[in-house]
Amino acid sequence: QSVTLSPNKSVYQIGDTIDITIIFNINSLIVDNTYYNIRLNLSNNKKANYNDIPRYGVNYIKYIYNVSEFDEPTTNLSITGHDGLIFYDNYNYILNNNYTYDLGIGITTIKVNNIQATDGIYGINDDIIITINFNQNMTVSSSTILTLSNGSTAIYNNGSETSTVVFKYTVIENDSYSSDLNIVSYIGSIQNNIQQDLEQSQITTDLGNIQVDADTPDIIAVNAENGEYSSNDELSISVRWDKNIFVDFLNLPTLTLSNGSQAIYNKGNSSTELTCIYTVSSTDTVSSDLSVINYTGSITDSAGNNAQQVVQDLGNVRIQPSNFSECIIMQSIVNIVNSSGNKYTFNNDLTYNSN
């Protein structure tokens, strides 16, 4: 006898249907499943059902086996016998112990129940935790990685010898942007307890609503109006980035200026342009060429990436605070001459001097 399998694969997995045709060297088989429940017994304790109409005078029998997740996995499936009566010639029947055959195929019942990751926007230094839940314990080599759709990788973190395996992807600067991160494949070893490998197709999946943004907001321009600014004057400084920036209202940004003063946040949250106001005080340091030397506080993009630091000469901006705030009479002398020609002199404390 000989056996053909369709489709012809070396390993079959959950959901596969195997058509098994056994061909005998006699042409007088009587196969009638109407009265006899004809089935193949398999070495993994499963049965393949008869899959044809009643046949008389043929040399073949057709069976079908549907692989389920509850089947016992094996690396070498074989036929161990049959149920029911199969006759030939003058109603001789085929003995069960003569009905064996090594199929030379594997049955794997590895199933990925689900793959989980938390939706969100991930920026530089953020960790994306990817959890894979299987229907059985899996052995994972420590060097195993998941390749992702943005060209990055998630490394094995924990869970070998259990049914829950965890990988971690830490976003680094200049990782490619992704609006919808996917697992493309794995590299390494993910096996069940009989050393069958996880099929690549089972791990290729969309991770959900995961966005990767490892691009920091870069400065396009820093602007201020040229001129000389004195006490109580306001200098508006605008900083424009290449993407929307967001401020933390519990840690508002300020621009530190080269004369030691600061420009305070005024507006620009959730936009590409931020405006800060510097009000000149009479005690501020004079500057003939004001510049911004940095910012403090929080300026980030939607992924939490810190905006580029602000270091910029403001052009022809001069700070010249007034050196007095009110006029004080330090000394005064008043001379008065009456009609008789007498002259009277008063100083600022109204002391009378007669001349």
Side-chain angles (χ1 to χ4, degrees):
Q1 66 191 43
S2 63
V3 177
T4 62
L5 302 175
S6 179
N8 188 13
K9 298 167 61 174
S10 60
V11 178
Y12 297 81
Q13 60 186 3
I14 297 169
D16 283 347
T17 296
I18 310 174
D19 290 315
I20 304 171
T21 302
I22 301 178
I23 301 172
F24 295 84
N25 57 3
I26 53 178
N27 296 313
S28 56
L29 293 177
I30 301 170
V31 189
D32 191 342
N33 198 49
T34 305
Y35 305 104
Y36 306 106
N37 190 13
I38 300 171
R39 297 184 298 180
L40 279 183
N41 297 320
L42 303 174
S43 58
N44 66 343
N45 297 316
K46 298 300 292 186
K47 296 182 184 292
N49 294 318
Y50 180 71
N51 191 39
D52 203 352
I53 61 175
R55 297 287 183 180
Y56 301 90
V58 295
N59 70 338
Y60 63 87
I61 306 175
K62 292 182 177 181
Y63 299 89
I64 189 169
Y65 169 34
N66 296 306
V67 181
S68 82
E69 66 175 292
F70 305 106
D71 293 355
E72 181 181 331
T74 179
T75 57
N76 187 19
L77 187 69
S78 61
I79 298 170
T80 59
H82 70 89
D83 294 338
L85 294 176
I86 302 172
F87 297 100
Y88 67 96
D89 292 340
N90 295 318
Y91 284 92
N92 296 310
Y93 61 89
I94 298 174
L95 295 175
N96 187 56
N97 58 4
N98 292 331
Y99 203 72
T100 60
Y101 194 87
D102 185 358
L103 295 174
I105 61 173
I107 300 296
T108 179
T109 57
I110 299 171
K111 179 184 178 183
V112 174
N113 290 328
N114 57 68
I115 299 177
Q116 299 173 332
T118 302
D119 291 347
I121 302 174
Y122 292 82
I124 298 169
N125 295 324
D126 286 342
D127 289 334
I128 301 176
I129 304 300
I130 302 170
T131 303
I132 306 175
N133 294 299
F134 295 92
N135 66 337
Q136 57 192 274
N137 290 350
M138 302 296 290
T139 301
V140 183
S141 66
S142 60
S143 60
T144 300
I145 61 174
L146 304 179
T147 61
L148 306 174
S149 55
N150 69 336
S152 299
T153 58
I155 63 173
Y156 167 74
N157 186 256
N158 65 73
S160 184
E161 310 299 335
T162 75
S163 61
T164 300
V165 179
V166 178
F167 291 83
K168 181 172 73 172
Y169 164 35
T170 300
V171 181
I172 63 175
E173 187 170 1
N174 296 322
D175 277 359
S176 295
Y177 173 83
S178 175
S179 61
D180 186 20
L181 193 65
N182 297 299
I183 299 175
V184 175
S185 65
Y186 76 90
I187 299 173
S189 176
I190 304 176
Q191 296 182 326
N192 64 8
N193 60 1
I194 60 170
Q195 298 182 332
Q196 290 177 319
D197 293 321
L198 171 68
E199 293 286 334
Q200 290 283 356
S201 60
Q202 290 203 63
I203 208 166
T204 302
T205 188
D206 184 343
L207 287 172
N209 187 22
I210 290 183
Q211 179 178 330
V212 175
D213 183 356
D215 177 33
T216 59
D218 295 323
I219 293 173
I220 295 176
V222 180
N223 297 306
E225 186 175 348
N226 291 332
E228 182 172 292
Y229 294 80
S230 188
S231 298
N232 298 320
D233 287 344
E234 289 188 346
L235 171 64
S236 177
I237 303 172
S238 65
V239 184
R240 187 154 54 93
W241 277 274
D242 63 351
K243 61 196 300 190
N244 281 357
I245 53 91
F246 300 84
V247 304
D248 182 349
F249 287 95
L250 297 178
N251 188 20
L252 286 172
T254 59
L255 301 179
T256 303
L257 306 176
S258 56
N259 70 339
S261 299
Q262 290 184 326
I264 307 301
Y265 169 77
N266 177 254
K267 62 181 180 179
N269 182 55
S270 188
S271 73
T272 59
E273 187 168 336
L274 179 143
T275 301
C276 292
I277 301 296
Y278 166 37
T279 303
V280 181
S281 168
S282 62
T283 58
D284 286 353
T285 302
V286 173
S287 175
S288 61
D289 185 19
L290 193 67
S291 62
V292 179
I293 60 174
N294 64 31
Y295 74 81
T296 59
S298 177
I299 307 175
T300 66
D301 62 13
S302 59
N305 299 314
N306 290 324
Q308 180 185 359
Q309 191 54 262
V310 183
V311 181
Q312 181 68 43
D313 186 279
L314 293 176
N316 187 22
V317 174
R318 304 177 304 280
I319 303 299
Q320 185 63 59
S322 302
N323 58 8
F324 59 87
S325 59
E326 58 181 338
C327 181
I328 301 174
I329 300 176
M330 301 301 295
Q331 182 70 33
S332 64
I333 298 176
V334 178
N335 295 314
I336 300 175
V337 180
N338 65 11
S339 59
S340 303
N342 297 320
K343 181 179 180 182
Y344 302 91
T345 300
F346 296 86
N347 62 17
N348 65 319
D349 60 359
L350 299 181
T351 301
Y352 167 73
N353 293 308
S354 178
N355 295 302

